[in-house]
Amino acid sequence: MESPPSPATLAPAVHIDSTHPAVKALAARAQGGTDRERAVSLYHLVRDGYRYDPYRIDLSEHGMRASTVIENGYGWCVPKAALLAAVSRAAGIPARVGYADVRNHLSTQRLRDLLKTDLYIWHGYTELWIDGRWIKATPAFNIELCERFGLLPLEWDGTADSIYHPFDRAGRQHMEYVNQRGTFHDVPRERIAGDFARMYPAWVESASGDDQFQKDVERETR
């Protein structure tokens, strides 16, 4: 049985700051007359409007807020999922964030060197309540990045879960889900930051303000 939305799935939270002016302005751009149509519109606005960048992670409270993705113009999977939840709540659509551990078989050499593993813990996605059930949406990878990496873009029509494809366009392994961590009304920032510090110390310590991720992707996919 589906658990129905609680008041918290429509309320602002520390990181899912759905009452922030920039979040409300983005939510107002949703197109369509039904929740499903507006949710799909918001999904594409978040997926393609803000570049995926795992080099510039910021595990602070400010860094993990949905509104910070808008402020920066980029984000990684956790804050981008928070942003989709925030704009959905601002548009009156119940939403929450969920997490899974995945094996990512495609990334840049720099990221592989930093993580020293292909296991990515706390991969973030969003669940939205549409037509009486929770549906997963994953807005992390923008369309340009998918095209450069030869990935199949994650499309979402609001009727079925949108999760990472197991293979890329060429049939190479891409994403494998190995553990589900559940759903939350707000980003469990302290748990994520603590686990990252233990699992990926080099990644956390090297997080910087440079924008080399896209350049590395372009260089490695020529």
Side-chain angles (χ1 to χ4, degrees):
M1 294 290 291
E2 293 275 10
S3 58
S6 69
T9 61
L10 278 172
V14 172
H15 305 94
I16 303 177
D17 50 348
S18 53
T19 55
H20 189 283
V23 172
K24 293 171 66 176
L26 181 59
R29 294 172 55 192
Q31 302 291 314
T34 67
D35 281 356
R36 183 182 65 81
E37 291 169 340
R38 291 185 299 126
V40 170
S41 175
L42 291 171
Y43 170 79
H44 286 96
L45 286 172
V46 173
R47 187 194 72 177
D48 297 333
Y50 304 92
R51 288 182 296 113
Y52 174 77
D53 192 337
Y55 286 179
R56 294 185 282 181
I57 64 169
D58 181 349
L59 301 178
S60 70
E61 182 178 297
H62 176 265
M64 300 276 265
R65 283 179 182 158
S67 59
T68 301
V69 178
I70 300 176
E71 175 186 326
N72 290 338
Y74 62 83
W76 50 293
C77 64
V78 170
K80 286 193 70 174
L83 177 56
L84 179 55
V87 294
S88 298
R89 291 181 187 180
I93 303 168
R96 60 194 186 188
V97 284
Y99 303 91
D101 299 339
V102 300
R103 290 198 180 279
N104 181 5
H105 297 273
L106 292 174
S107 62
T108 64
Q109 187 60 53
R110 176 178 169 184
L111 196 56
R112 288 191 292 270
D113 291 343
L114 288 172
L115 271 62
K116 305 184 188 308
T117 177
D118 63 359
L119 181 64
Y120 289 64
I121 61 174
W122 290 102
H123 153 67
Y125 59 88
T126 315
E127 284 193 347
L128 297 89
W129 182 260
I130 300 173
D131 296 333
R133 60 194 182 97
W134 291 106
I135 304 176
K136 293 180 176 66
T138 306
F141 290 173
N142 51 289
I143 188 71
E144 294 86 358
L145 180 66
C146 291
E147 291 173 350
R148 293 294 310 193
F149 255 140
L151 304 178
L152 296 166
L154 280 181
E155 297 300 341
W156 189 61
D157 64 2
T159 65
D161 291 340
S162 172
I163 59 176
Y164 284 131
H165 299 294
F167 301 98
D168 68 2
R169 290 182 186 276
R172 297 171 297 180
Q173 280 189 301
H174 177 210
M175 287 286 189
E176 175 188 357
Y177 287 78
V178 298
N179 179 48
Q180 290 288 337
R181 292 181 178 264
T183 57
F184 300 77
H185 293 140
D186 195 12
V187 178
R189 185 187 69 82
E190 293 186 359
R191 290 178 61 181
I192 294 173
D195 286 349
F196 272 37
R198 289 187 291 272
M199 184 84 171
Y200 313 120
W203 186 24
V204 173
E205 292 171 8
S206 71
S208 66
D210 70 48
D211 61 350
Q212 297 298 309
F213 179 70
Q214 186 66 29
K215 295 176 183 177
D216 283 356
V217 170
E218 292 172 358
R219 181 172 59 254
E220 295 181 21
T221 55
R222 284 174 183 165

